[in-house]
Amino acid sequence: MITLDAVDRALIHALHVDGRAPFTKIGDVLGVSTQTVARRYRRLRAEASLRVVGLPDPQRAGQAEWMVRLTATPHTAQDLAHALARRADTAWIKLMSGGTEICVNVQTPATSDHSLLLRDIPRTASITAVSAHQLLHRYFGGPDAWLGRANSLDAAQIAALTPAHQGPGKPLTGEDDALMAALQRDGRASLAELATATGWSAATVARRLADLQAGGTVFFDLEIDPAPLGATTQALLWMAVAPAHLDRVAKKLSAHPELALVAATTGSATLVAHALCPDAAALHHYLTHRLGALDAIRTLETAPVLRTIKAAASR
């Protein structure tokens, strides 16, 4: 497993602040050469599966977001997960505890027919149980970074790298499909490469990208193996919290460095969170000492993540 030093971690944090920042700018802010930044970036791509990806923020892009939990017959879960990964409407897919449960994040236009939820999944013979939970509100996650990868830069460095977006932003349209597909493959693709992918001029690409970023409709995220960052144990946490306490509890959880996602959801579990911890003992400590101290959490289900089959970038 790759070992990360202070420069690697600072570069990862810098790319979260601005995934398209030029290496010269990142080098200036970090106090290292452009060549060092480029060399470290290539190493992280090769050894830590690092990718910068451009993604729509579902809450700002007019999309409905769902967490679909599937239970499959033995020996079929992995094949089913890989089949789901090939679909355009699945954002990320995780193989869960026991190897027979799959959790799928589905993002579709709010006005779509939700064919994956209503037609395709029920017709799959190997699936023995399905539950679909709409995410009503993200408290943390998406444009926010898991603190395990965004804790290396000081306030001045963050300010120097933060893009100066102005204006109300623009919604996504069907004309943006080619642009978004290209950004999801490589968020650092050049304007010339994006122009080739869209058939637009480089100037048009630059203007459209600025419009989409200005209001947060599109953001740039990182895919990276969390293990080199100190997180070898992952779990999805499904919590039942009374509506009167939901907002308060969710906001408190959003400040926990162990969590990469906190969202209100439909179903008997009203909150879902994604925990990343150094090991099983650390997860146990988090559950018993941090979450256990919150009396408003009435029930808690912990579903360990065995493997990430698909990450957000490969939609």
Side-chain angles (χ1 to χ4, degrees), residues 11 29 34 46 66 70 86 97 127-128 170 180 196 209 216 224-225 229 297 313:
L11 172 56
V29 172
T34 301
W66 298 76
L70 311 172
R86 292 191 289 269
S97 53
I127 296 174
T128 59
K170 299 292 179 63
M180 292 309 304
T196 299
L209 197 51
I224 188 169
D225 180 2
L229 292 166
I297 299 176

Side-chain angles (χ1 to χ4, degrees), residues 159-202:
L161 287 165
T162 300
H165 299 318
Q166 296 179 351
K170 299 292 179 63
L172 285 170
T173 71
E175 295 181 351
D176 296 309
D177 288 350
L179 174 62
M180 292 309 304
L183 291 173
Q184 287 162 14
R185 288 191 298 269
D186 180 7
R188 290 189 63 84
S190 68
L191 292 179
E193 291 169 328
L194 295 175
T196 299
T198 59
W200 301 342
S201 68

Side-chain angles (χ1 to χ4, degrees), residues 22 26 45 96 109 111 126 142 155 172 175 187 206 238 297:
I26 294 175
R45 280 180 61 90
M96 308 302 294
T111 56
S126 62
L172 285 170
E175 295 181 351
W238 300 87
I297 299 176

Side-chain angles (χ1 to χ4, degrees), residues 104-309:
V104 185
N105 180 268
V106 181
Q107 296 177 7
T108 61
T111 56
S112 76
D113 62 359
H114 305 304
S115 61
L116 177 65
L117 303 175
L118 302 178
R119 185 183 67 238
D120 299 349
I121 285 178
R123 291 181 178 178
T124 305
S126 62
I127 296 174
T128 59
V130 180
S131 62
H133 312 268
Q134 185 172 8
L135 297 192
L136 303 177
H137 181 74
R138 275 184 183 256
Y139 286 88
F140 188 77
D144 303 309
W146 169 53
L147 296 181
R149 72 171 193 228
N151 57 4
S152 299
L153 304 183
D154 60 32
Q157 290 173 310
I158 293 171
L161 287 165
T162 300
H165 299 318
Q166 296 179 351
K170 299 292 179 63
L172 285 170
T173 71
E175 295 181 351
D176 296 309
D177 288 350
L179 174 62
M180 292 309 304
L183 291 173
Q184 287 162 14
R185 288 191 298 269
D186 180 7
R188 290 189 63 84
S190 68
L191 292 179
E193 291 169 328
L194 295 175
T196 299
T198 59
W200 301 342
S201 68
T204 299
V205 169
R207 285 196 302 271
R208 185 57 179 159
L209 197 51
D211 286 343
L212 292 172
Q213 286 184 267
T217 304
V218 170
F219 69 98
F220 289 89
D221 200 2
L222 298 184
E223 283 187 357
I224 188 169
D225 180 2
L229 292 166
T232 63
T233 299
Q234 301 183 50
L236 290 178
L237 311 177
W238 300 87
M239 294 164 276
V241 180
H245 305 294
L246 185 62
D247 193 63
R248 174 179 60 83
V249 171
K251 289 177 178 177
K252 185 178 290 290
L253 295 185
S254 296
H256 287 189
E258 297 87 351
L259 300 182
L261 167 71
V262 179
T265 183
T266 59
S268 57
T270 51
L271 272 181
V272 62
H274 179 201
L276 297 99
C277 296
D279 50 34
L283 176 60
H284 175 260
H285 185 273
Y286 174 68
L287 298 177
T288 56
H289 290 76
R290 302 290 299 280
L291 295 188
L294 300 175
D295 294 336
I297 299 176
R298 298 181 299 184
T299 64
L300 169 65
E301 177 190 356
T302 304
V305 175
L306 301 183
R307 186 180 308 162
T308 297
I309 302 296

